[in-house]
């Protein structure tokens, strides 16, 4: 059986360094057998992948890739708390915020960029409840922000 990191490698991806917070918070906290991540922006190598609103300057396809990067950053935050991603028993909840134009209604498809990655990386344990919310603006003018809750096996 392959590990979550091996499945990421098969996708041509890797767990990045934990993204540095942009304000007064930590990337993740543990409470009992749950890990709660802070909202993760689509940071890659210390910079946002793209800025702007989905349905405006950012295409839905670009935004889905941003959501995938947010998911990778959330995975990194979880790993920083538990060490071994093989301990993830369930991705419980995913919340995706999509900064979008008032007429854009494809937030669920954007959020799929994150949801599909969790399924590929964690298999059945990656199936989760989710919210995909359209918002007028996100920190640093990011198009997407994703936060997750995972249950960890002891």
């Amino acid at each position: 059986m392959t590990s979550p990191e091996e499945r990421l490698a098969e996708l041509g991806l890797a767990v990045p360094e934990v993204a540095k917070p942009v304000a007064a918070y930590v990337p993740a906290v543990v409470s009992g057998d749950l890990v709660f991540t802070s909202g993760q922006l689509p940071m890659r190598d210390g910079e946002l992948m793209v800025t702007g609103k989905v349905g405006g300057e950012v295409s839905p396809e670009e935004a889905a890739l941003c959501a995938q990067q947010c998911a990778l950053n959330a995975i990194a935050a979880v790993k920083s708390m538990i060490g071994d991603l093989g301990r993830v028993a369930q991705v419980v909840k995913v919340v995706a915020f999509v900064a979008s134009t008032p007429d854009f209604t494809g937030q669920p498809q954007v959020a799929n960029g994150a949801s599909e990655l969790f399924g590929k990386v964690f298999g059945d344990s990656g199936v989760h409840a989710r919210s995909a919310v359209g918002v007028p603006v996100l920190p640093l003018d990011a198009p997407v922000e994703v936060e997750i809750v995972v249950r960890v096996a002891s």
Side-chain angles (χ1 to χ4, degrees):
M1 186 163 156
T2 58
S3 72
E5 288 178 341
E6 289 169 331
R7 288 189 285 275
L8 275 169
E10 290 169 4
L11 296 169
L13 301 170
V15 178
E17 293 294 317
V18 177
K20 293 190 183 343
V22 299
Y25 60 90
V26 294
V29 297
V30 176
S31 179
D33 64 349
L34 298 175
V35 179
F36 295 80
T37 72
S38 295
Q40 301 293 313
L41 300 176
M43 301 295 273
R44 186 182 286 162
D45 300 322
E47 295 186 14
L48 284 174
M49 293 171 58
V50 66
T51 59
K53 307 294 178 278
V54 184
E57 309 86 353
V58 180
S59 73
E61 296 78 18
E62 288 173 308
L65 289 173
C66 286
Q68 177 180 286
Q69 185 65 43
C70 293
L72 280 171
N73 293 341
I75 289 169
V78 168
K79 182 178 179 186
S80 76
M81 301 306 294
I82 66 170
D84 178 8
L85 290 175
R87 291 183 56 209
V88 172
Q90 183 71 53
V91 177
V92 177
K93 176 77 177 188
V94 174
V95 180
F97 301 96
V98 181
S100 47
T101 59
D103 61 336
F104 182 76
T105 60
Q107 290 83 3
Q109 290 72 30
V110 170
N112 282 346
S115 293
E116 291 170 1
L117 183 68
F118 293 129
K120 290 174 184 172
V121 173
F122 297 109
D124 289 343
S125 297
V127 177
H128 53 269
R130 185 182 84 185
S131 299
V133 182
V135 297
V137 67
L138 288 167
L140 308 177
D141 199 26
V144 183
E145 181 175 344
V146 173
E147 64 181 52
I148 67 173
V149 177
V150 300
R151 185 173 51 82
V152 179
S154 49

